[in-house]
Amino acid sequence: MHEMSVALSVVDQVEQAARPGGARGVRRVTVEIGELAGVVPDALAFCFELACAGTLLEGAELVTRSVPGRAACAPCGRAWDTGMPPDMICAGCRGGATGLLSGRDLRITEVHWSALPTAPDPTPVPRHQEN
Ligand SMILES: [Zn+2]
């Protein structure tokens, strides 16, 4: 399933970003999903939950936002929402020199995690010993 590889990649990227920050657990991840990215949000949410098991993201909530596909015509400068399936022919000049402005990407926009209360320090905190 396409969504599974996307979910694994999201989990991987979030872990790499969260670990150096001293994260204990990731609570919420927000991703923007382009309309033309070929990712079904419900399927992604399902795969995300599975991909999170045993990682820093275990139990994290996935918030998805849909980004509409936008196209622009180079010769006349017109821009429009492509819809799905995408309409790539300019209604102004009927030209086919169309470029996609947005809607193809999947992007992590926000990650919420609970950080350690102490300042980042690689050495372990010494334990108090009672005499
Ligand atoms: Zn045009």
Side-chain angles (χ1 to χ4, degrees):
M1 199 190 292
H2 175 59
E3 278 80 4
M4 195 54 181
S5 62
V6 172
L8 287 168
S9 151
V10 168
V11 168
D12 195 50
Q13 287 178 57
V14 171
E15 273 209 304
Q16 279 177 28
R19 270 193 205 286
R24 256 187 203 158
V26 174
R27 290 178 178 171
R28 193 166 72 226
V29 178
T30 307
V31 293
E32 283 183 355
I33 302 173
E35 193 179 19
L36 313 178
V39 172
V40 179
D42 282 354
L44 181 64
F46 176 76
C47 294
F48 180 78
E49 203 180 320
L50 296 179
C52 286
T55 73
L56 270 181
L57 288 80
E58 179 135 25
E61 178 195 1
L62 181 73
V63 179
T64 56
R65 294 201 180 114
S66 179
V67 176
R70 291 281 292 171
C73 174
C76 75
R78 193 176 164 270
W80 67 97
D81 289 342
T82 60
M84 190 65 196
D87 173 14
M88 298 299 287
I89 296 175
C90 176
C93 68
R94 309 306 295 172
T98 298
L100 271 179
L101 297 177
S102 67
R104 222 170 7 182
D105 303 325
L106 186 141
R107 211 168 40 178
I108 301 167
T109 56
E110 261 178 80
V111 178
H112 286 260
W113 63 67
S114 47
L116 296 172
T118 51
D121 190 329
T123 57
V125 178
R127 291 181 190 209
H128 292 284
Q129 286 187 339
E130 301 198 3
N131 296 319

